[in-house]
Amino acid sequence: MKRFYRLTLSILVVTSIVFLQGCGTSEQEKTTSKTGYRTLEEIKESGTIKIGVFSDKKPFGYVDDKGEYQGYDVYFAKRIAKDLLGDESAVEFVSVEPANRVEYLESGKVDIILANFTVTEERSEKVDFALPYMKVALGVVSKDGSITDVTQLEGQSLIVAKGTTAETYFQENYPEIELQKYDQYTEAFTALLDGRGVALSTDNTEVIAWAMENQGFGVGIESIGNIDTIAPAVQKGNTELLDWLNEEIKTLGNEEFFHKAYDETLLPVYGDAVDKENLVVESGEVK
C-alpha cells in the first residue's frame, strides 16, 4: 500500500511539473507575441498618454519651482493629450535623459518621446520618427564666449551629455578633442560652471538660452555641423500612433500652432536673440 502511495505521488509530481512547464511556455509565448507598445486604441481606453520629456533642459522641458513641467515640448505634449483624449491634463510626463530616450520607447515606458529628439539615421533604425516640428544645429558655450572656433578645443576638455548629437558629432569629426561626458544636462552645465571643462556643446538653442541666464558665459560658436530636425518618436512598428501623430502635426501646422508655442514658451527667453523662422517647422516639412 505504501509503495502504491509513493508511486501515485511520484506520478502526480511529474505530471504537475510537466503541466507547469507547459503553462510557462504558453505564457512566455504569449508575452513574446505582444507588440511591446500600446496601440492607439489602448491609449484611448486608458485615458492617459505617457510622453517622455526632459526635466532639466530649459526652456524646452523642465520642472519649475512648483514641481510642474514647463517648456516648448511640454506645451506640445499637452496639445497632443487634448486632441487625442479630450483633456490636456491626460498626459503623464515621464522624465528622460538623453541616453535613455530610445530605451524608454523600446521598453514601453513611454508612448511618445518629445525630448528634443534630433532625427538621425542611427536612431531611425531603432525608433519611428514622426514629421519634424523644429530645426536645430549644435552650438558651443564657453566662459565669455572665448571659444569661437573648433580648433581652439584641441587638447582641451569639451563637456557633452551622453547620447546626444553633440557627443556623436565630435567623436566622429574631431576625435582629438577630449570629451567629458555626463548623464544629465544639469550635471554637464554644473561642470562648466565649476571649470571642469573649457566649453560645453549641445543644441544651439539651449546653449543660447543658458548663456543668457548665466553671466560671464557666451556662445562663441552659434552653429556647427548640419542643420538637423527634431521630431516626436514612437516605438518601432507602432504605425497607428505614428500615423495619428503625423496628421496631428499637419493640422497644427495649418493653424500655426508651433509659432504660438514659440511665442508662449521661447520668446520670453530668447527675445531677439533667436529668429523664430530659423527654428520653427510649421508645416511638418523642413523649409
Side-chain angles (χ1 to χ4, degrees), residues 121-162:
E121 290 185 9
E122 181 181 2
R123 289 171 178 168
S124 295
E125 294 176 357
K126 300 177 180 179
V127 304
D128 284 336
F129 283 102
L131 293 171
Y133 63 97
M134 192 164 65
K135 292 174 288 187
V136 71
L138 295 176
V140 177
V141 59
S142 56
K143 191 72 173 177
D144 299 321
S146 57
I147 302 298
T148 58
D149 190 273
V150 179
T151 57
Q152 294 175 264
L153 294 170
E154 295 178 8
Q156 304 283 357
S157 182
L158 175 66
I159 299 168
V160 296
K162 295 178 184 177

Side-chain angles (χ1 to χ4, degrees), residues 136-154 156-160 165-167 169-170 174 177 179 189 192 197-211 216-225:
V136 71
L138 295 176
V140 177
V141 59
S142 56
K143 191 72 173 177
D144 299 321
S146 57
I147 302 298
T148 58
D149 190 273
V150 179
T151 57
Q152 294 175 264
L153 294 170
E154 295 178 8
Q156 304 283 357
S157 182
L158 175 66
I159 299 168
V160 296
T165 49
E167 177 188 25
Y169 176 79
F170 282 98
Y174 299 95
I177 297 176
L179 297 183
F189 280 112
L192 181 61
V198 69
L200 180 149
S201 180
T202 186
D203 295 349
N204 56 1
T205 50
E206 186 185 3
V207 291
I208 291 172
W210 187 85
F217 289 87
V219 181
I221 303 176
E222 292 190 356
S223 182
I224 186 173

Side-chain angles (χ1 to χ4, degrees), residues 1-243:
M1 188 67 176
K2 289 183 179 179
R3 290 182 60 188
F4 176 76
Y5 174 78
R6 285 197 296 269
L7 180 61
T8 303
L9 182 61
S10 299
I11 292 173
L12 286 172
V13 170
V14 172
T15 304
S16 298
I17 291 172
V18 172
F19 175 76
L20 289 172
Q21 287 178 336
C23 289
T25 302
S26 177
E27 286 300 316
Q28 184 178 9
E29 289 175 352
K30 183 178 179 181
T31 301
T32 304
S33 67
K34 289 182 179 179
T35 59
Y37 56 75
R38 297 200 302 167
T39 64
L40 193 63
E41 190 60 34
E42 288 171 336
I43 293 171
K44 290 179 179 179
E45 289 178 358
S46 74
T48 304
I49 185 164
K50 300 177 182 179
I51 299 182
V53 295
F54 286 128
S55 60
D56 62 350
K57 192 172 184 180
K58 191 175 183 179
F60 296 95
Y62 65 100
V63 176
D64 64 18
D65 296 337
K66 297 179 181 179
E68 300 290 332
Y69 280 91
Q70 303 289 351
Y72 188 76
D73 287 339
V74 173
Y75 191 94
F76 182 18
K78 289 181 178 179
R79 178 60 186 269
I80 288 174
K82 180 181 179 181
D83 290 347
L84 181 61
L85 302 171
D87 184 358
E88 69 172 27
S89 66
V91 55
E92 178 185 336
F93 291 113
V94 179
S95 179
V96 297
E97 297 174 3
N100 67 18
R101 288 173 291 187
V102 171
E103 185 272 325
Y104 268 46
L105 277 177
E106 291 179 329
S107 62
K109 292 179 181 178
V110 297
D111 302 307
I112 300 172
I113 285 288
L114 274 187
N116 272 111
F117 213 10
T118 304
V119 180
T120 68
E121 290 185 9
E122 181 181 2
R123 289 171 178 168
S124 295
E125 294 176 357
K126 300 177 180 179
V127 304
D128 284 336
F129 283 102
L131 293 171
Y133 63 97
M134 192 164 65
K135 292 174 288 187
V136 71
L138 295 176
V140 177
V141 59
S142 56
K143 191 72 173 177
D144 299 321
S146 57
I147 302 298
T148 58
D149 190 273
V150 179
T151 57
Q152 294 175 264
L153 294 170
E154 295 178 8
Q156 304 283 357
S157 182
L158 175 66
I159 299 168
V160 296
K162 295 178 184 177
T164 61
T165 49
E167 177 188 25
T168 303
Y169 176 79
F170 282 98
Q171 282 180 167
E172 293 180 350
N173 296 282
Y174 299 95
E176 68 278 7
I177 297 176
E178 177 191 349
L179 297 183
Q180 190 178 142
K181 305 176 184 180
Y182 293 90
D183 291 319
Q184 299 178 341
Y185 282 106
T186 48
E187 294 175 336
F189 280 112
T190 298
L192 181 61
L193 287 169
D194 292 344
R196 282 177 269 161
V198 69
L200 180 149
S201 180
T202 186
D203 295 349
N204 56 1
T205 50
E206 186 185 3
V207 291
I208 291 172
W210 187 85
M212 293 177 72
E213 290 191 347
N214 290 270
Q215 189 174 0
F217 289 87
V219 181
I221 303 176
E222 292 190 356
S223 182
I224 186 173
N226 297 325
I227 301 296
D228 294 315
T229 57
I230 288 176
V234 302
Q235 190 177 136
K236 201 74 176 174
N238 197 350
T239 308
E240 192 178 25
L241 180 57
L242 181 67
D243 291 344

